[in-house]
Amino acid sequence: MLRMRIDIESLKLKISESNEMFFRQLSREEQKKIGQFTTPMPVAEYMAERLIDDADVLNNQSVKLLDPGAGTGVLGLAVVEKLFSKYPSCKIELVAYENEPIALRVLKSNLSLTDSWADESGLNFSYEIRERNYILEEDGLLEDSAFSFESNYDLVIANPPYKKLLKDSLEADAMSFVVHGAPNLYGFFWVKAAIELRPNATSVFIVPRSWMSGAYFERLRAFMFSQGSVIELHAFENRNNVFGSTKVLQELVIVVFQKKRVDLVKIWSHDDITTLEQSQSIVVSRDLVVVGEEQRVYLITNATQLALAKWAVALPSTFLDSGLKMKTGLTVCFRNRDLVEDEPSDNNVPIFYADDFDGHEVRLKRENGQYLSKKRAGFLQDNVDYIFVKRFSTKEESRRIQTAYYDAERFSKEKQISTDNKLNFVVASSSDLLRGAFLVMSSTIFDEYYRLLSGNTQVNSTEINSMKFPDAHSLASLGEKYQVSELTQMTQEKIDQIILANFGVEA
């Protein structure tokens, strides 16, 4: 056993050297072009451990392992090493897909080294490298398997390519049953791997968090949850540390998926990839994690967020059903510079930007470009009360939902206005309703609720419109108690106290 351990460490060192060689050969732009980032060894080993711990593997078992986006092979080989360490009598067959030439050379070398190590150690290992596009291989398999659920892999591990695709790409056409809006290649890898898992089998992927919410991934979520369950989620507090020096700015999650119905989800929040084993999990009921008709996924990592999720799920309505709607600002100013003017006139209207916020009030603050020509009627909107919400914030800002109340009376000379595309605005069926909604949206708990739903620093109107919310009657009853002048001068503490008292968030 000691000799085997030394051999394993020697093998891992050689593979690490090969991976480093591969990484040095690719520029940042080349990595982005092929959508590929190498997985650091601590992450690979942790993913392999989680996969094996959650899977139903026995000694003397024959295990068929898939790595559909193999790269240099680090993930698949981490599983092989850990499986043999735990179940030395098992038989492992690894299938690895890769069609990028440089990565392919390193992959072949790494698998050859592993094969020699296994042979010298008396272990039953075989592998197959498939030098082709994983998504486009066997179109008929996708069409048939998507609905018949035939499969044969016992384990799948992947760090798939992260690459936006055109809706008319070959991959999008092959996976049309999960495409809505702008597709991303990583989602196709996850879906196809789920199809190819045998019943009750397990996969682990490291992917961007974007699949967890939003309309673009709604069909993907629906398909995945029809196939099985997410049984583990792993989030990272610092999104810059997952891929080390490659500086990937995606907010990534590790997802363990099992091809059966499971009613509990374990969720981890990791500070750093060097302390993965020290993190503690929280166990959450599936119905608090996968929520609503859109099956959005809440990332609940602590007891406070768990209480918040319970509060949100219990709300009686949705934003839209309560008579509210968030829209995105009408004018993309940088594309319409010829319409932007510096001085007011009878032929233009004020255009409002995110930097016109003054606390919760709205003021015309720009010296230049504050007005928009009336030439384009589609850029104009009625001068009525709105809730303005900044579309963008930085990761470091304390709030995602930053609100201001647009009081039409302050600009009573105007019949119409316009809004910049970097601003969202909310319309309501009554002024009382709008004022009540302003208080809820300006509260700390609603901001935290949105963060639970989305890791994005962009406030997405589609997501807001589908979020749980107090009902219209309760909101209007609250709104009629306050004048606009009171709302815009109200402290955060006062707003939070009002929401606490009216919507029962003591939990």
Side-chain angles (χ1 to χ4, degrees):
M1 184 61 71
L2 179 60
R3 171 172 162 67
M4 181 176 170
R5 184 178 184 279
I6 294 171
D7 288 343
I8 288 173
E9 295 305 319
S10 176
L11 173 68
K12 287 164 67 175
L13 178 60
K14 289 178 181 179
I15 290 173
S16 294
E17 290 171 350
S18 296
N19 292 341
E20 184 63 29
M21 178 188 71
F22 167 70
F23 177 72
R24 286 198 301 266
Q25 292 182 67
L26 288 181
S27 68
R28 167 71 173 170
E29 287 306 310
E30 286 173 321
Q31 290 185 48
K32 289 175 67 176
K33 184 178 180 181
I34 63 176
Q36 188 162 13
F37 298 91
T38 54
T39 312
M41 191 62 74
V43 176
E45 292 185 339
Y46 186 73
M47 289 175 65
E49 286 176 6
R50 299 313 313 145
L51 177 65
I52 294 168
D53 284 353
D54 285 310
D56 184 16
V57 179
L58 301 174
N59 217 354
N60 301 312
Q61 182 178 340
S62 179
V63 177
K64 191 171 183 181
L65 168 66
L66 171 66
D67 186 348
T72 62
V74 62
L75 282 170
L77 296 179
V79 178
V80 170
E81 183 261 314
K82 290 187 179 298
L83 271 176
F84 278 137
S85 296
K86 195 170 184 178
Y87 307 104
S89 299
C90 72
K91 175 185 177 182
I92 302 174
E93 176 188 353
L94 170 62
V95 177
Y97 284 81
E98 185 53 60
N99 60 357
E100 200 288 314
I102 300 175
L104 194 56
R105 290 200 299 269
V106 182
L107 175 64
K108 288 178 178 178
S109 173
N110 285 343
L111 284 174
S112 178
L113 286 169
T114 304
D115 192 44
S116 297
W117 161 77
D119 186 57
E120 292 173 4
S121 304
L123 301 170
N124 196 337
F125 172 69
S126 63
Y127 69 90
E128 177 187 356
I129 298 175
R130 298 181 181 175
E131 300 178 28
R132 45 191 181 266
N133 186 314
Y134 174 64
I135 300 302
L136 297 182
E137 181 192 49
E138 301 180 66
D139 288 344
L141 172 69
L142 279 176
E143 184 177 351
D144 296 339
S145 296
F147 302 101
S148 66
F149 313 126
E150 295 174 359
S151 48
N152 59 1
Y153 287 106
D154 301 289
L155 301 173
V156 180
I157 189 167
N159 171 13
Y162 314 151
K163 189 176 182 181
K164 290 183 179 179
L165 300 172
L166 297 175
K167 288 180 69 175
D168 60 356
S169 66
L170 293 175
E171 290 87 352
D173 183 61
M175 305 291 285
S176 60
F177 58 96
V178 292
V179 173
H180 175 76
N184 195 302
L185 191 54
Y186 81 80
F188 296 164
F189 271 69
W190 194 31
V191 166
K192 188 182 178 189
I195 292 169
E196 296 189 306
L197 279 174
R198 65 169 176 76
N200 303 317
T202 309
S203 70
V204 60
F205 275 63
I206 184 166
V207 291
R209 184 181 169 182
S210 52
W211 68 272
M212 297 171 67
S213 63
Y216 284 175
F217 290 93
E218 185 174 338
R219 293 182 73 184
L220 181 147
R221 292 193 299 273
F223 181 82
M224 290 300 295
F225 293 133
S226 75
Q227 295 283 284
S229 306
V230 168
I231 62 171
E232 288 190 12
L233 282 168
H234 298 255
F236 295 88
E237 288 292 324
N238 182 355
R239 64 178 177 171
N240 290 328
N241 69 25
V242 184
F243 287 94
S245 59
T246 58
K247 300 187 187 302
V248 180
L249 295 180
Q250 293 274 9
E251 185 165 5
L252 301 174
V253 289
I254 294 172
V255 189
V256 182
F257 176 86
Q258 210 156 64
K259 200 163 182 176
K260 65 179 182 180
R261 171 78 183 199
V262 178
D263 292 325
L264 295 175
V265 185
K266 289 183 179 180
I267 305 178
W268 281 257
S269 179
H270 303 289
D271 292 329
D272 190 272
I273 65 171
T274 61
T275 58
L276 289 169
E277 300 289 352
Q278 299 173 23
S279 305
Q280 299 294 317
S281 65
I282 183 171
V283 180
V284 185
S285 172
R286 182 187 185 278
D287 59 4
L288 291 176
V289 176
V290 182
V291 177
E293 293 182 3
E294 303 86 0
Q295 298 189 83
R296 293 161 295 161
V297 179
Y298 289 176
L299 194 58
I300 301 166
T301 61
N302 56 52
T304 300
Q305 291 177 337
L306 180 57
L308 176 62
K310 291 178 179 178
W311 170 77
V313 167
L315 289 172
S317 185
T318 67
F319 199 80
L320 274 179
D321 291 341
S322 293
L324 302 156
K325 187 172 185 179
M326 178 178 280
K327 302 180 180 180
T328 301
L330 304 182
T331 305
V332 182
C333 290
F334 76 88
R335 292 179 183 166
N336 297 279
R337 290 191 180 95
D338 58 319
L339 301 178
V340 178
E341 300 173 353
D342 295 337
E343 299 294 333
S345 74
D346 293 338
N347 297 315
N348 64 30
V349 300
I351 180 170
F352 291 93
Y353 300 84
D355 57 11
D356 286 327
F357 284 32
D358 186 2
H360 286 305
E361 291 186 289
V362 178
R363 302 181 186 277
L364 295 174
K365 296 167 67 175
R366 290 195 167 201
E367 295 183 4
N368 301 302
Q370 188 74 72
Y371 300 91
L372 187 76
S373 169
K374 295 180 180 179
K375 292 178 182 178
R376 296 283 296 276
F379 293 165
L380 307 180
Q381 60 199 87
D382 292 339
N383 183 29
V384 297
D385 284 11
Y386 298 103
I387 301 169
F388 283 170
V389 180
K390 293 182 181 181
R391 273 187 70 197
F392 300 97
S393 61
T394 65
K395 200 71 178 176
E396 293 71 32
E397 287 183 276
S398 60
R399 292 186 66 89
R400 289 286 171 270
I401 308 295
Q402 300 180 45
T403 60
Y405 193 98
Y406 175 79
D407 182 5
E409 287 189 5
R410 294 191 60 175
F411 306 93
S412 57
K413 294 180 180 180
E414 309 293 340
K415 291 185 178 180
Q416 293 177 306
I417 63 169
S418 187
T419 44
D420 177 61
N421 191 251
K422 293 181 181 177
L423 193 67
N424 289 323
F425 62 94
V426 176
V427 297
S429 55
S430 75
S431 57
D432 287 343
L433 177 62
L434 189 72
R435 291 196 295 273
F438 173 80
L439 284 166
V440 176
M441 296 184 71
S442 303
S443 68
T444 299
I445 195 168
F446 187 79
D447 184 70
E448 291 174 345
Y449 172 28
Y450 186 76
R451 287 172 181 267
L452 193 66
L453 170 67
S454 174
N456 204 324
T457 55
Q458 177 177 337
V459 177
N460 184 292
S461 58
T462 302
E463 290 178 350
I464 294 287
N465 287 330
S466 63
M467 288 175 71
K468 298 299 293 292
F469 213 68
D471 63 87
H473 175 75
S474 299
L475 291 168
S477 297
L478 176 63
E480 69 180 356
K481 299 176 183 177
Y482 301 97
Q483 299 297 316
V484 172
S485 58
E486 294 178 90
L487 298 182
T488 56
Q489 299 302 315
M490 200 172 285
T491 65
Q492 187 64 58
E493 182 180 7
K494 179 64 174 176
I495 291 172
D496 291 340
Q497 287 175 350
I498 290 170
I499 301 307
L500 179 73
N502 282 270
F503 298 110
V505 298
E506 288 92 344

